[in-house]
């Protein structure tokens, strides 16, 4: 069975702090894809990144970076120099090509000025 | 990225009435769309997979007679909540994958349903 675990329910930081959101996944498939989505208070899901199981290179996009480690089945997300606008719920998700996305329970990030 | 439009963004209806939610892929054809439900402060739970031209595939525990899904064209899927009750109040969100592209799932804006 596939599973995504986001152990951090809620994180609070002060602006300009760095913050890392953890994601641990379980799957028996050798080919799979991992995602991160941002859900601001308005509710829509904003796609942030997709990573396939054969690409373990870390990725950086502006203040966002992702660390994918197959050895620990983790796909962690770091926001550098956080801003108030980063406040949202962040979801990690997994699919193995069956087209179903399996979501974690989400991490609520609050960034205070 | 691909655009998925969902309408309405919010709706309030009386108990016992039916509500239809539309999910459209605006710049691509989506043979498969997905409907999720999200309770406050909880994760997204897949309700059903909507397949163009065929019956939807429902997840275990989802009443197919209550949540009617129609995917009549490659750009439109609809979810109808029939005989709505207050416990159906929730956030419903659809997604679609561009079959010609990568595996990203693009989501609509979501619909907040309140049944009074």
């Amino acid at each position: 069975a596939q599973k995504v675990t986001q152990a951090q329910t809620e994180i609070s930081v002060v602006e300009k702090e760095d913050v890392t959101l953890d994601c641990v996944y379980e799957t028996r498939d050798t080919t799979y894809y991992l995602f991160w989505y941002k859900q601001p208070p308005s509710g829509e899901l904003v796609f942030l990144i997709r990573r396939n199981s054969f690409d373990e290179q870390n990725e950086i996009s502006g203040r966002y970076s992702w660390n994918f480690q197959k050895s620990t089945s983790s796909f962690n997300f770091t926001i550098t120099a956080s801003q108030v606008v980063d406040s949202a719920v962040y979801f990690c998700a997994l699919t193995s090509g069956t087209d179903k996305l399996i979501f974690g329970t989400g991490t609520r990030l609050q960034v205070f000025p | 990225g691909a655009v998925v439009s969902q309408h309405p963004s919010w709706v309030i209806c009386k108990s016992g009435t039916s509500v239809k939610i539309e999910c459209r892929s605006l710049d691509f054809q989506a043979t498969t769309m997905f409907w999720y439900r999200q309770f406050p402060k909880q994760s997204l739970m897949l309700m059903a997979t909507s397949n163009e031209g065929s019956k939807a595939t429902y997840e275990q525990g989802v009443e197919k007679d209550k949540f009617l899904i129609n995917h009549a064209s490659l750009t439109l899927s609809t979810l109808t909540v029939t005989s709505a009750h207050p416990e159906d109040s929730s956030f419903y969100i659809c997604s679609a994958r561009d079959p010609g592209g990568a595996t990203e799932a693009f989501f609509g804006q979501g619909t907040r349903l309140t049944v009074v």
Side-chain angles (χ1 to χ4, degrees), chain B residues 13-76:
Chain B
C13 71
K14 290 185 177 180
S15 188
T17 62
S18 296
V19 173
K20 180 184 284 188
I21 303 169
E22 293 186 347
C23 180
R24 294 180 184 273
S25 56
L26 297 185
D27 53 1
F28 66 100
Q29 294 183 329
T31 55
T32 304
M33 291 184 175
F34 306 90
W35 288 95
Y36 293 83
R37 183 174 183 176
Q38 185 181 30
F39 290 106
K41 297 190 177 182
Q42 293 191 24
S43 188
L44 287 84
M45 299 301 297
L46 180 66
M47 298 174 65
T49 302
S50 172
N51 303 298
E52 187 269 335
S54 64
K55 292 183 179 180
T57 303
Y58 289 82
E59 295 298 299
Q60 192 173 9
V62 178
E63 299 176 61
K64 60 182 179 181
D65 293 331
K66 176 149 190 80
F67 299 100
L68 299 178
I69 291 173
N70 184 280
H71 195 153
S73 77
L74 287 171
T75 59
L76 174 64

Side-chain angles (χ1 to χ4, degrees), chain A residues 33 35 37 39 41-45 47 50 89 91 95 98-106 108, chain B residues 32 34 36 38 41-44 46 49 59 91 93 97 102-110 112:
Chain A
Y33 298 86
F35 299 77
Y37 288 90
Q39 187 177 41
S42 54
E44 77 272 23
L45 277 174
F47 168 82
R50 172 189 65 105
V89 180
F91 289 98
T95 183
T98 61
D99 283 353
K100 294 182 181 181
L101 273 174
I102 307 298
F103 283 87
T105 50
R108 182 176 300 275
Chain B
T32 304
F34 306 90
Y36 293 83
Q38 185 181 30
K41 297 190 177 182
Q42 293 191 24
S43 188
L44 287 84
L46 180 66
T49 302
E59 295 298 299
F91 188 69
I93 191 165
R97 295 185 189 273
T103 57
E104 288 86 349
F106 297 98
F107 285 81
Q109 304 92 321
R112 192 164 303 281

